[in-house]
Amino acid sequence: MKRTSFEGDECPIARALDVIGDWWSLLIIRDAMLGRRRFGEFQKSLGLAKNILTARLRMLVDEGILSTAPVSDGSAYQEYILTEKGRGLFPVIVALRQWSEAFDGHPEEIATLLVDREKGLPVRKLELHAQDGRLLEIGDTTLKPRPLTTRKRRTTG
C-alpha cells in the first residue's frame, strides 16, 4: 500500500510526519542519537532487513537529517552522522519516550532511564511554556493564521 505524501500540506505536523512519520526512521534517529553511526550497527540494533534500512537511511540523508562521511579508519565504508536538523529531533524523541513511560501498560519492562549525563539524575518531564514563562496545557493554546506577508499564497487550479 502506497503511503500518502503530505509534502506541501499546510499543517506543519503533517509535513513533519511526511519526513519522520515512519517508525523505522524514528528508531534509526534514536540509534544515531545513542552514537550508532555505521550501517551494520543500525542493522544489528534494529534487526531490520538491509533493503529497508538502506531505503530509510537514504531518505534521512536526502532529507538532511543524517549526513554521510568516510569512516576514520580509511576503509571504503561510510558512517551516518546526525545533522543540526537531525539533532533538532531530540525533544521529539524525548517527548515520545516520556509519553511511553507515562502511559505504557508495562512500564517495568522499560530497561533504561533517561538521565542527565553530568549529574546522573532523571531528566524532568518536558513542558511547554508561554513566552512569559507560564506553563501551558492543551486548552491554553490555539491556532491562528500566519500573516500572508510571511507565507506563500496558495494557488488553486
Side-chain angles (χ1 to χ4, degrees), residues 135-155:
L135 180 62
L136 297 174
E137 299 292 334
I138 194 168
D140 299 325
T141 64
T142 189
L143 299 175
K144 71 178 196 178
R146 185 182 305 268
L148 286 177
T149 57
T150 61
R151 67 179 167 113
K152 282 185 172 180
R153 291 194 175 136
R154 197 160 204 185
T155 58

Side-chain angles (χ1 to χ4, degrees), residues 86-102:
R87 290 187 303 277
L89 288 164
F90 180 64
V92 175
I93 298 293
V94 171
L96 286 169
R97 178 188 177 93
Q98 290 180 346
W99 176 83
S100 181
E101 290 170 340

Side-chain angles (χ1 to χ4, degrees), residues 8-19:
D9 196 286
E10 289 184 355
C11 174
I13 296 168
R15 292 166 77 132
L17 288 173
D18 202 46
V19 177

Side-chain angles (χ1 to χ4, degrees), residues 98-118:
Q98 290 180 346
W99 176 83
S100 181
E101 290 170 340
F103 296 105
D104 188 277
H106 301 282
E108 70 281 357
E109 295 174 1
I110 298 173
T112 59
L113 294 172
L114 182 64
V115 298
D116 174 335
R117 186 183 299 267
E118 182 180 326

Side-chain angles (χ1 to χ4, degrees), residues 20 22-37 41-42 44-47 60 65-66 82 86 89-90 92-94 96-97 112 114:
I20 60 162
D22 166 280
W23 68 57
W24 290 123
S25 297
L26 284 170
L27 292 173
I28 291 167
I29 293 164
R30 175 209 61 190
D31 277 7
M33 289 179 180
L34 292 172
R36 293 183 178 94
R37 297 173 84 126
E41 293 173 330
F42 291 115
K44 183 178 179 184
S45 170
L46 299 170
L60 291 169
I65 292 169
L66 295 173
L82 282 166
L89 288 164
F90 180 64
V92 175
I93 298 293
V94 171
L96 286 169
R97 178 188 177 93
T112 59
L114 182 64

